[in-house]
Amino acid sequence: MTTVLVIGGGIGGLTVAHELAEDGVDVTVLEATDRFGGKARSMPIDDGPAPLHGEHGFRFFPAFYRHVVETMARIPDGSGTVADNLVETEATLLASTTGPDRIAETRTPDSVRGWLEALRPAFSDELPARDVQFLLERLAYLLTSCERRREEELDDVTWWEFADAENRSRAFRNRLASTTQSLVALRPQAASARTMGTIYLQLLFGQLDPTRPTERVLNAPTNEAWIDPWLRHLEALGVDLRPNTAARSLSFDGRRIDGVDLADGATLSADEYVLAVPVDVAPTFVTPDLARAAPELGRIERLETAWMNGIQFYLSVDLELSPGHQVYTDSPWALTSISQRQFWTGYDIDERGPDDVAGVLSVIASDWTTPGIVYDKPARECTREEIATEIWAQLRAHLRGAEPRLTDDALVDWFLDPAIVETDDGVENRSPLLINTAGSLRNRPPADVGVENLTLAADYVRTNSDLASMESANEAGRRAANAIRRRHRIRPSARIWNLEEPVVFEPFKREDGLRYRLGLPHPAEVTQSLRSITARLGGRR
């Protein structure tokens, strides 16, 4: 029987284990911490018999998440599956401190007017008409670009440059920045135009697809709704799950991996090895010999990370806000949130934690380098207590009209991601997030690298999903499992989905593919250049 050692028990590692265990492969998963699930895990906030749960950040599943949802549909849970624990959202609140709040519907439109509204950028009402038109033209540019142009040209351009932000209105620049940072914790001045544009389009198309919900969330904390049933299923399939088992290094004989050295001094061996550790940890396993054998491994250390971490506020009131997400458009720390109780139908808050907790507001902070409004310093220079105080203040500044009121009296307790650890100079983040900077695609390795019994399964692997997410990690895990299947002649393979775009644009992509091979620019680039020249000439009159 083929034996596989998976190093890392996050979404990528658990996906590999799931795929191969169903084929009868002997799989062992090593996890350095006491909890599986990686960034997706939730955890009890105390040692009580029925504690509340805290999370690295809230989970949400947009329509283009195909891989992870299909895996969830194969995990038994009660009389159904884990996929049954997904709940559709209805609307996103765009909360502002400088203007009226807006509600953006997330359900598929059921009228012509609704479809036209869905096609408009979420913040278009705040922008000059010429900026809205220009942004739509830029998205059309992406939609009609061939894949090679996207990968070899647009990935090297920042979202800021591609959107010509310096020549747009201040409102355009502000909204471009807030949208980018709330999505991927990345400044648009550094983000890849290929990644940001593609994901923006996927979110838009998701709302226009009547066959799938635009976005969904879980009906309970992540471990209760997903991870714990998954672990039980993996154990039933024979997977050996080993928490608190830290791997230290890989033993490489110049051709293949021949063992894993553990932190306790022990050595484990198998036929196949899967490295499923986070992007900041992976380089510690890459020796010079490994990098020479598989140069893709040596480039992982060039990938950049940012901070995108969550905090939960436990409230004495149930603050619903909106039946979906909230985006705090003017928050210095790029905050987003979900008021959870309306969705946590499978989780009885009244039976958990302090008696006076009636609601849970789960918040993600995506900008840790901009000064706040209370302490006038960035989050990474604050203490954990100061971070909680600052985020609470930014929420209150945006939710002045919320009912019931978000007052200090309503706050019972809070739980900040334990990956945020205090130091003498502020805090450090022990769970940073891969960010898709311009030009970073070339540094992202495939799942199947140039070592005959080593594969990778993590969200920094090259995937169709592209963005660092549980969807990308799951796809990477499928790709790693498929590589192992090919080597050991195991059938069938796990399905890999492409990102879907309207077929009406395919002829334009083919035409652009020919232009790209001939070294010609995209037609829209020619048009934009002419406009820029005209604008400059007009400015000299």
Side-chain angles (χ1 to χ4, degrees):
M1 179 185 292
T2 302
T3 58
V4 177
L5 266 176
V6 181
I7 305 170
I11 300 303
L14 295 179
T15 300
V16 173
H18 191 163
E19 291 291 335
L20 296 178
E22 287 186 339
D23 295 328
V25 175
D26 183 351
V27 184
T28 298
V29 183
L30 311 178
E31 169 55 40
T33 71
D34 62 348
R35 297 185 71 80
F36 291 88
K39 293 182 179 67
R41 79 201 185 288
S42 59
M43 63 218 86
I45 68 173
D46 58 49
D47 297 326
L52 291 163
H53 273 235
E55 307 198 74
H56 171 81
F58 56 77
R59 310 266 69 78
F60 87 104
F61 300 77
F64 73 90
Y65 277 26
R66 306 293 296 277
H67 302 88
V68 72
V69 173
E70 193 274 345
T71 294
M72 294 169 77
R74 289 156 45 204
I75 303 171
D77 187 34
S79 60
T81 71
V82 163
D84 298 327
N85 295 331
L86 293 170
V87 182
E88 186 174 1
T89 66
E90 297 179 12
T92 296
L93 170 65
L94 304 173
S96 173
T97 61
T98 58
D101 295 344
R102 293 187 61 245
I103 294 291
E105 296 289 332
T106 55
R107 292 172 296 187
T108 301
D110 56 6
S111 66
V112 174
R113 180 176 180 180
W115 281 76
L116 292 175
E117 284 297 315
L119 286 169
R120 292 167 59 85
F123 47 81
S124 60
D125 289 347
E126 307 168 30
L127 304 182
R130 65 183 184 88
D131 284 352
V132 176
Q133 178 183 345
F134 181 77
L135 180 57
L136 292 174
E137 288 175 354
R138 294 280 88 183
L139 295 177
Y141 180 152
L142 276 162
L143 276 171
T144 55
S145 294
C146 66
E147 193 58 35
R148 283 191 61 193
R149 189 183 299 279
R150 292 188 189 191
E151 291 189 359
E152 299 173 10
E153 186 175 288
L154 297 182
D155 192 66
D156 285 336
V157 178
T158 68
W159 184 229
W160 191 260
E161 292 174 291
F162 183 75
D164 194 30
E166 290 298 334
N167 296 314
R168 303 288 116 195
S169 66
R170 180 186 296 273
F172 181 93
R173 292 194 293 271
N174 290 343
R175 291 297 172 255
L176 192 74
S178 65
T179 302
T180 304
Q181 288 191 294
S182 64
L183 182 63
V184 291
L186 179 57
R187 294 169 57 250
Q189 292 89 338
S192 157
R194 169 186 174 271
T195 295
M196 288 308 307
T198 299
I199 298 303
Y200 191 104
L201 287 168
Q202 286 299 309
L203 294 173
L204 174 62
F205 295 146
Q207 186 172 358
L208 302 180
D209 184 351
T211 67
R212 293 196 297 271
T214 301
E215 66 175 39
R216 289 176 284 182
V217 296
L218 291 169
N219 66 358
T222 310
N223 265 58
E224 295 207 1
W226 175 19
I227 304 299
D228 289 347
W230 200 5
L231 298 179
R232 290 193 293 269
H233 183 54
L234 293 179
E235 288 180 326
L237 290 173
V239 176
D240 183 3
L241 298 170
R242 300 190 189 182
N244 296 310
T245 308
R248 184 179 59 193
S249 61
L250 296 171
S251 177
F252 180 57
D253 67 5
R255 187 173 62 89
R256 56 189 287 120
I257 306 298
D258 57 15
V260 175
D261 298 321
L262 305 183
D264 64 5
T267 299
L268 299 177
S269 60
D271 299 318
E272 295 279 349
Y273 300 83
V274 181
L275 191 61
V277 297
V279 64
D280 57 311
V281 177
T284 64
F285 287 88
V286 181
T287 64
D289 286 345
L290 262 178
R292 280 192 291 271
E296 301 101 326
L297 294 173
R299 291 196 291 271
I300 295 175
E301 65 180 5
R302 302 178 189 176
L303 296 170
E304 298 182 39
T305 61
W307 296 14
M308 191 175 192
N309 297 70
I311 183 171
Q312 286 73 50
F313 292 106
Y314 305 102
L315 310 175
S316 61
V317 297
D318 183 14
L319 196 72
E320 289 191 5
L321 298 177
S322 66
H325 295 86
Q326 296 83 50
V327 178
Y328 302 93
T329 58
D330 307 312
S331 55
W333 290 4
L335 304 181
T336 53
S337 73
I338 290 182
S339 187
Q340 296 281 23
R341 184 164 188 171
Q342 61 189 312
F343 299 111
W344 282 0
T345 55
Y347 182 80
D348 191 350
I349 289 179
D350 293 333
E351 299 297 323
R352 308 280 181 145
D355 292 338
D356 48 355
V357 172
V360 180
L361 189 61
S362 187
V363 186
I364 291 177
S366 299
D367 186 335
W368 292 70
T369 61
T370 298
I373 62 176
V374 175
Y375 297 106
D376 194 31
K377 59 182 177 180
R380 55 173 73 224
E381 294 179 12
C382 293
T383 64
R384 287 174 58 88
E385 185 82 32
E386 288 171 340
I387 290 170
T389 300
E390 177 68 47
I391 292 176
W392 181 255
Q394 292 183 32
L395 291 174
R396 290 195 61 190
H398 280 79
L399 298 175
R400 291 167 297 176
E403 291 293 341
R405 295 290 301 279
L406 188 65
T407 64
D408 290 340
D409 292 340
L411 180 59
V412 178
D413 202 356
W414 54 267
F415 179 85
L416 178 63
D417 186 353
I420 301 299
V421 178
E422 289 196 13
T423 69
D424 293 338
D425 300 318
V427 290
E428 68 177 32
N429 189 344
R430 296 182 179 173
S431 187
L433 180 77
L434 168 74
I435 51 175
N436 300 73
T437 54
S440 63
L441 184 63
R442 64 176 62 92
N443 296 323
R444 295 175 61 186
D448 191 4
V449 292
V451 177
E452 63 183 55
N453 66 337
L454 176 67
T455 50
L456 305 180
D459 61 9
Y460 53 86
V461 167
R462 281 198 183 206
T463 62
N464 296 334
S465 310
D466 193 49
L467 194 68
S469 62
M470 53 192 174
E471 170 73 356
S472 190
N474 183 280
E475 182 186 337
R478 290 165 177 255
R479 290 177 179 272
N482 285 348
I484 293 171
R485 286 173 167 130
R486 286 193 296 271
R487 289 199 280 261
H488 295 269
R489 295 180 173 84
I490 300 171
R491 293 288 186 271
S493 295
R495 182 173 179 180
I496 305 294
W497 278 270
N498 293 316
L499 294 180
E500 296 178 355
E501 295 178 355
V503 295
V504 68
F505 295 102
E506 289 303 317
F508 300 98
K509 292 178 184 178
R510 289 194 293 271
E511 178 187 351
D512 187 56
L514 177 60
R515 293 180 64 89
Y516 192 76
R517 289 194 298 273
L518 295 174
L520 298 174
H522 189 282
E525 199 61 53
V526 177
T527 302
Q528 176 58 26
S529 297
L530 290 173
R531 285 182 177 172
S532 298
I533 293 172
T534 303
R536 285 197 295 270
L537 290 174
R540 293 172 185 166
R541 292 176 182 173

